Amino acid sequence: FFFESPRGILRRMLFDNSVSLGLAALGRPGYINLGREDDLPSAAARTKQQMQDLAFSVLDAFHAQGGRHVDAARSYGVAEEFLSKWLRSRGAEVEGVMVCSSKWGYRYTGDWAVTMEDSNGQPHEVKEHTASHLRSQSVESLALLPKLALYQIHSATPDSGAFSDEVLEELRDLKKRAGCRIGLSTTGPDQAT
């Protein structure tokens, strides 16, 4: 009889999978613009329901091919919502099999706009690495994904505030409270805050 600890299962599922699925381009209608017209309905037809149907199709195909790790973020529009609905709709088929991670630090402000022109030239996300923002976003993430395995700082930089004492204390508290691992992503040493 072999027993694997929950930590061992998590480590294996997070790091032994050769492929993870990121939901950035599936949770909002205008996240990535290169080649989108080839893979998605026209910009005018990218309704929330159509994007959810597409996300479900991609998640089903990923799961069917053995994919087990899915990553979302608060700034990926409604990616966490889509993932939550997909997990609930698939029930026992995916429960205990799929590992989910997400990220905090950017607020999605695109209001389902496809281009910056659709949002009066305003960016579709705003970066904020403060303890209060972490608290509000972690509540939102955990409400949708209560079994979150990994919660990451999105695009952390030394000067973004992500490593302030207050943020680090909040991350320690979140780790204890939610039982998830804490991590970070970066985009480059000269990334604008």
Side-chain angles (χ1 to χ4, degrees):
F1 179 75
F2 174 73
F3 175 75
E4 188 173 7
S5 72
R7 178 174 276 176
I9 292 169
L10 176 63
R11 184 178 7 262
R12 179 175 44 79
M13 291 179 85
L14 277 175
F15 303 112
D16 289 352
N17 282 305
S18 59
V19 177
S20 294
L21 176 64
L23 297 180
L26 295 169
R28 52 194 262 196
Y31 189 76
I32 296 173
N33 55 18
L34 296 176
R36 256 178 113 68
E37 296 300 327
D38 298 335
D39 298 321
L40 297 174
S42 69
R46 281 184 216 150
T47 66
K48 190 173 176 183
Q49 185 61 53
Q50 287 174 316
M51 292 298 289
Q52 179 179 299
D53 293 345
L54 180 61
F56 277 32
S57 295
V58 171
L59 285 161
D60 284 338
F62 180 69
H63 177 258
Q65 293 299 313
R68 296 298 180 257
H69 176 237
V70 180
D71 182 64
R74 294 302 307 151
S75 63
Y76 296 170
V78 291
E80 289 178 334
E81 178 186 329
F82 288 171
L83 178 56
S84 176
K85 287 179 178 180
W86 180 79
L87 290 166
R88 285 194 317 271
S89 71
R90 300 311 185 257
E93 179 185 353
V94 298
E95 190 171 332
V97 174
M98 299 303 291
V99 175
C100 301
S101 61
S102 193
K103 295 179 286 300
W104 74 275
Y106 281 90
R107 181 181 312 108
Y108 175 62
T109 58
D111 195 31
W112 212 253
V114 175
T115 67
M116 283 184 62
E117 292 165 350
D118 297 336
S119 59
N120 297 318
Q122 297 301 308
H124 291 183
E125 56 187 28
V126 176
K127 184 176 184 175
E128 181 185 336
H129 286 153
T130 63
S132 62
H133 194 59
L134 167 57
R135 276 189 293 277
S136 66
Q137 288 202 319
S138 65
V139 167
E140 294 166 344
S141 294
L142 290 168
L144 291 166
L145 301 169
K147 296 181 181 179
L148 200 59
L150 174 65
Y151 205 51
Q152 302 170 84
I153 304 168
H154 202 170
S155 297
T157 59
D159 57 348
S160 70
F163 304 111
S164 71
D165 290 342
E166 191 178 10
V167 167
L168 294 175
E169 184 59 37
E170 189 66 32
L171 287 168
R172 280 189 283 275
D173 181 61
L174 176 64
K175 182 178 178 179
K176 289 178 193 170
R177 194 170 17 92
C180 60
R181 288 183 172 221
I182 302 297
L184 59 90
S185 71
T186 61
T187 307
D190 297 320
Q191 176 192 343
T193 59

